[in-house]
Each structure stands twice: as structure tokens, then as C-alpha cells.
Amino acid sequence: MKEILSTKNGLIKERKKLHKRKYREQEGKYLLEGFHLVEEAVKYGANVEEIFIDARGQKEWGTWVTEQVSTTYFVSDEVMKQLSDLPTPQGMIAVVQKEPATEISYQGKWLLLDNVQDPGNVGTMIRTADAAGFTGVLLGKGTADIYSTKVLRSMQGSQFHLPVIACDLLEVVPKFQENHIPVYGTELNVDAVQFNQVEKTAHVALILGNEGQGVATELLQMTTKNLYIPIYGQAESLNVGVAAGVLMYAFV
Amino acid sequence: MKEILSTKNGLIKERKKLHKRKYREQEGKYLLEGFHLVEEAVKYGANVEEIFIDARGQKEWGTWVTEQVSTTYFVSDEVMKQLSDLPTPQGMIAVVQKEPATEISYQGKWLLLDNVQDPGNVGTMIRTADAAGFTGVLLGKGTADIYSTKVLRSMQGSQFHLPVIACDLLEVVPKFQENHIPVYGTELNVDAVQFNQVEKTAHVALILGNEGQGVATELLQMTTKNLYIPIYGQAESLNVGVAAGVLMYAFV
């Protein structure tokens, strides 16, 4: 295993850039931190290019790492701090190629995210779609990049389990409808249909929207129907991740 | 309106201490930041003792503030930064008395949190209980303090809408059962009962547990039944806040 002990090392400087979306898009790869997530990447056949481990990581997973990946680096605690964005680094960071682009199948159950900005919400919603057995997730404009470290942490490896595709929702909504798949928007509006009053279908597209503004009006006007989750108490709204969970489980 | 322009001011030093749970418990009050939350506190008759506003707050809500509360302070941006724990302070911080202790009614629908540690999860779950029309929330040992700023932000004022009571869950579970109210634990165990296969009852107690360990075994052994939410995909589990939402909406 090669060693990198200086924070001024050129490779470290290059890899650190992957904290920026622009570089991830340019390079087609991202940083994945923590044994659990890296193990999941290997298990699902993701292209893990390099693994960096520190003293703690070496002790706990050194043998495992060298068995999985040919390019491994032992790094000092200071170097690991440069690569990590956590207050306490997790001992292991991998450089992983982004999942290959896939086509939308236009069958099964899809979750569509319109301008959902909070990385924790986006990650949780993808993980919930995975748990609920959804076919895939579509990320519309303005939605957080799934390869940011915060999304990766809350997604817990779901990017390896189901397709997550960036696209223009205005273009895909009509295609679901051409395939006779109902598209349901969501809104905080009692004129909408109560979520548990529509038929459970094997094929469905559910749109969840921005934390503050909800789903864009333009999209709400294109949908088959718009659903709402009734508020029985005095809360103004539900957290969007919770709302997505309630809706997705109502369709399984 | 009195002015405080120095970060060395004695009152500011005292109020800053309220970021610590120990001082909140000692003083029986807490810091509430942001116009929206302070407005909610006033609307629901909470005891708002003092309001601090900076130049931005003064401009936007100065008149409103002096109409609501007799003790108001204009503070410099530096002082506001001392009182706030946000990267960008929200222009207004109030000192509010904790909600008075209330008794558990042992009727209606209750959410019980066992050792839920993440403040964001605790706040979201209380907000969801509010939205779902639950009667109240019980906080067992190890659960995050609802008066910490992170819980307050994700709870969005629900502490004014329904009783949130700290207690020993081991003591209250038998009392629900004496009152013929079913108590459902939750576990990731297919030997448990699928959540949508139990009868919807008007009175119910639902226990959600720690993010990593789930509900304590001791509690699971005391419940009427234990429920699980099926995982159809490859995710290992659901976020606890999402799980709570799916379960609570299954009981309304």
C-alpha cells in the first residue's frame, strides 16, 4: 500500500476537488466516506477506483481493502482530514465512478423530485423509494446532487440499488402519461384529492416538490391528479421526506 | 427599546448559556430564533419574556415586537451572532418560558420516543405527530431535548400545539395498557406484525426507537404487539422520522 503523508500531495489536492459538484461532473467520479458505504459500493459492483485509509482504517479494514481494490493509499490523519468533510473522519474514503446513465423504463413506480434542495431530504427520499420497492427516482431541475457527501450519507447506498436519473420533469411527465401511467403531483390544497382515495396501481409516478414552494405550478397543471395529505392538527405542513414516505407506502 | 451593543454585556452572557441543556433546565426557559417561530409562540400564548432584534429585525418587525412584548432589546450584529447558533442569524431571538408540565391523559393517540438522539429526527417526529392529529408525544430517556435550537427548528412550533412530556416509558407503557389502550412497539423483524394488519383504533400508543439500535428490548417485551414496516427493496432500513410518519398516518 502506497503512503501519502503530506497534505500538499498533488493527488490529494486533485481528489479534494471532488467536493465540488463541477469537478464531480467533469471527472465522472465522487468521494464516498465510511466503511459501510464503501462496502456497499463494492458489493453492488460499483467502480471503486481508489481507497484512502488512515491508521484507524488500516487497523480495522486494511486486509479487506487490499483484497477489493488494487489502488489503495495509506494516509496520515492530516491528509484524511483534508479529504473528509466530517468533524471526525470515518477512517476510509473511496473514489468511485458515478453510476452509469440509464434510461427511464416508463413502467413500475417512480418518485419524481422537483427542486428539492436539502441534501438530507433528497437522500432520505431516495432511501425510502428503495425501501418501498420503487423502480427508480427522477431528479428534476434544482434538486441536490446525489453525489454530494450529505446526500450520500442520508441515501445509505441506495444509488447502487435503484436508478436515480437527472432529467427535465416537464419532458418526462407526458411520456408517463403516453404510457398510461398516472402522474400524481402533491400540493397543500384541500381541492386536491386525498392521497388514500386514489386507486393503488402497479405503475405510478409521484412528484414531490421544493421544501418551501412545493411542486412547480407548471408541473401541477400537467399531472393526472394532484394529491394532498390531510393535516389533522395545527402543523402547517409535513417535512417533505416524511410526506414522500407516507405517499410511497400508500402505493405499495 | 433598550440597546445592547457590546458582546461583553452581562445579560447577553447570561442568555447565551441557554444554549446548554443544563441552564435551560435550571432556568426553565429557552432561546427561540426567527420571526416565524416567535410569532407562533405569541399566537399560542407562550410566555415570551424578552425579544432581541438586530438592525434587519428592527426594520422588518420592530413595531410588531414592541406591540407583543414589553421587554425588547435592539442588539448589534455582533451581539446577535453571540445569541444565535446559525451561520446567518435570523434577525430575532426570543427568550421563552418552557411550556408548563402537563399530565398524560391516557386517551387518544400518543407517540412515544425511546432514546431518539438526532435533534432533527425528534423535531420532525413531533411535527408529524401534530400534523397527524396525535394527542401528544412522550419523550423517553436518551431522547434529544426539545428546547435545543435544532429540535426547535425542525419542530416548527409544534411544542405549542400538543403536549410533549418527558417521562419514563417503562412506567407509562403499563398505564396505557391498564386503560385498555394498545401499545405498539416497532422493530425490523419479520416476526413482528405488518403495520397495516392491525386494527385502526381511536386510542393507541406507538413507540419509535433509537436510530441505530431501535426500541429497547425491555420495552418491546412489554408491548401489546410489535409492528414492522416491510422493506421491499434493498435498503436496510427506513429513516426513523419517515417510519414514524408512515405509521402515524396508518392510524388516522
Side-chain angles (χ1 to χ4, degrees):
Chain A
M1 197 179 295
K2 287 168 241 170
E3 274 190 3
I4 303 179
L5 305 178
S6 163
T7 55
K8 289 175 184 159
N9 177 284
L11 183 69
I12 299 302
K13 283 187 181 170
E14 274 305 306
R15 294 302 177 257
K16 262 178 68 175
K17 290 183 184 167
L18 294 174
H19 281 293
K20 294 196 176 146
R21 184 173 189 159
K22 187 182 135 191
Y23 285 95
R24 291 194 294 270
E25 281 170 6
Q26 204 169 292
E27 301 292 324
K29 43 192 161 191
Y30 63 101
L31 298 172
L32 189 65
E33 177 157 13
F35 175 69
H36 185 70
L37 293 181
V38 177
E39 189 188 28
E40 199 77 358
V42 169
K43 182 174 158 194
Y44 283 90
N47 198 330
V48 179
E49 296 187 345
E50 299 164 344
I51 295 182
F52 299 86
I53 55 174
D54 60 17
R56 182 193 142 201
Q58 167 82 296
K59 202 174 153 191
E60 288 191 52
W61 314 292
T63 317
W64 180 88
V65 161
T66 48
E67 280 166 7
Q68 311 302 330
V69 181
S70 57
T71 313
T72 56
Y73 298 93
F74 174 82
V75 300
S76 63
D77 291 357
E78 288 66 36
V79 171
M80 188 55 93
K81 272 189 192 156
Q82 292 287 312
L83 288 175
S84 171
D85 68 343
L86 291 174
T88 311
Q90 298 294 295
M92 180 188 297
I93 292 186
V95 174
V96 184
Q97 270 186 26
K98 284 184 175 192
E99 292 299 293
T102 46
E103 295 287 313
I104 306 169
S105 64
Y106 296 105
Q107 53 184 344
K109 299 188 172 84
W110 291 80
L111 176 69
L112 282 55
L113 304 185
D114 172 39
N115 193 24
V116 181
Q117 295 179 342
D118 180 80
N121 284 339
V122 170
T124 299
M125 288 156 96
I126 295 172
R127 177 179 166 201
T128 307
D130 180 5
F134 266 51
T135 310
V137 180
L138 303 181
L139 309 175
K141 273 178 208 157
T143 298
D145 178 23
I146 65 157
Y147 296 109
S148 76
T149 50
K150 282 183 189 169
V151 177
L152 290 166
R153 277 197 290 277
S154 58
M155 193 163 53
Q156 297 205 353
S158 288
Q159 75 270 33
F160 306 124
H161 306 159
L162 78 176
V164 181
I165 306 166
C167 62
D168 184 343
L169 299 185
L170 293 170
E171 284 177 15
V172 302
V173 167
K175 290 188 190 159
F176 277 104
Q177 291 168 326
E178 282 164 25
N179 285 278
H180 311 288
I181 297 176
V183 178
Y184 298 121
T186 49
E187 54 180 339
L188 259 181
N189 182 344
V190 288
D191 292 336
V193 181
Q194 195 169 313
F195 76 102
N196 44 14
Q197 286 171 358
V198 292
E199 197 195 342
K200 278 189 190 189
T201 49
H203 306 271
V204 69
L206 278 178
I207 315 177
L208 272 289
N210 178 271
E211 291 85 353
Q213 286 98 51
V215 176
T217 312
E218 236 183 319
L219 277 167
L220 289 176
Q221 288 167 347
M222 298 170 70
T223 54
T224 313
K225 276 178 189 164
N226 294 320
L227 309 182
Y228 81 99
I229 300 176
I231 303 284
Y232 299 97
Q234 290 159 310
E236 284 180 14
S237 63
L238 283 169
N239 165 284
V240 68
V242 173
V246 170
L247 290 171
M248 286 192 273
Y249 268 92
F251 277 92
V252 295
Chain B
M1 198 180 293
K2 288 167 240 172
E3 273 191 5
I4 302 180
L5 305 177
S6 162
T7 55
K8 289 176 185 159
N9 178 283
L11 183 71
I12 299 303
K13 283 187 180 169
E14 273 305 305
R15 295 299 177 258
K16 262 177 71 175
K17 289 183 184 168
L18 294 173
H19 281 295
K20 294 196 176 145
R21 184 174 189 158
K22 187 182 134 191
Y23 285 96
R24 291 194 295 270
E25 282 170 5
Q26 205 170 291
E27 301 291 323
K29 41 192 160 190
Y30 62 101
L31 298 171
L32 189 65
E33 178 158 11
F35 175 69
H36 184 70
L37 293 182
V38 176
E39 188 189 28
E40 199 76 358
V42 169
K43 183 175 157 193
Y44 283 89
N47 198 330
V48 180
E49 296 187 346
E50 298 163 346
I51 296 182
F52 298 86
I53 57 174
D54 60 17
R56 181 193 143 204
Q58 168 81 298
K59 201 174 153 191
E60 286 192 53
W61 314 291
T63 318
W64 181 87
V65 161
T66 46
E67 281 166 7
Q68 310 303 329
V69 181
S70 56
T71 313
T72 57
Y73 297 94
F74 175 83
V75 300
S76 63
D77 292 357
E78 289 66 35
V79 170
M80 189 55 96
K81 272 188 192 153
Q82 292 288 312
L83 288 176
S84 171
D85 69 342
L86 292 173
T88 311
Q90 299 295 292
M92 181 188 298
I93 292 186
V95 175
V96 184
Q97 271 187 24
K98 286 185 173 189
E99 292 300 295
T102 45
E103 294 289 312
I104 307 169
S105 64
Y106 296 107
Q107 52 184 347
K109 298 190 173 84
W110 290 81
L111 176 68
L112 281 56
L113 304 184
D114 173 38
N115 194 22
V116 181
Q117 295 180 341
D118 181 80
N121 285 338
V122 170
T124 299
M125 289 156 96
I126 295 172
R127 177 179 166 200
T128 308
D130 180 6
F134 267 51
T135 311
V137 180
L138 303 182
L139 309 175
K141 274 178 207 157
T143 298
D145 178 24
I146 64 158
Y147 296 108
S148 76
T149 50
K150 282 184 187 167
V151 176
L152 290 166
R153 278 196 290 277
S154 59
M155 191 162 53
Q156 297 204 354
S158 288
Q159 76 270 31
F160 307 123
H161 306 157
L162 79 175
V164 181
I165 306 167
C167 61
D168 185 343
L169 299 185
L170 293 170
E171 284 176 16
V172 302
V173 167
K175 290 187 191 163
F176 277 105
Q177 291 168 326
E178 283 163 25
N179 285 277
H180 310 289
I181 298 177
V183 178
Y184 298 120
T186 50
E187 55 180 339
L188 260 180
N189 182 345
V190 288
D191 292 336
V193 181
Q194 195 169 313
F195 76 102
N196 44 15
Q197 286 171 0
V198 292
E199 197 195 341
K200 276 189 192 189
T201 48
H203 306 272
V204 69
L206 279 177
I207 314 178
L208 273 288
N210 178 271
E211 291 85 352
Q213 285 100 50
V215 177
T217 313
E218 237 183 319
L219 277 168
L220 289 176
Q221 288 167 347
M222 296 170 70
T223 54
T224 313
K225 277 178 188 164
N226 293 318
L227 310 181
Y228 81 99
I229 300 175
I231 302 284
Y232 298 98
Q234 290 159 310
E236 283 179 14
S237 64
L238 283 169
N239 165 285
V240 69
V242 173
V246 171
L247 290 172
M248 285 192 274
Y249 268 92
F251 277 91
V252 296

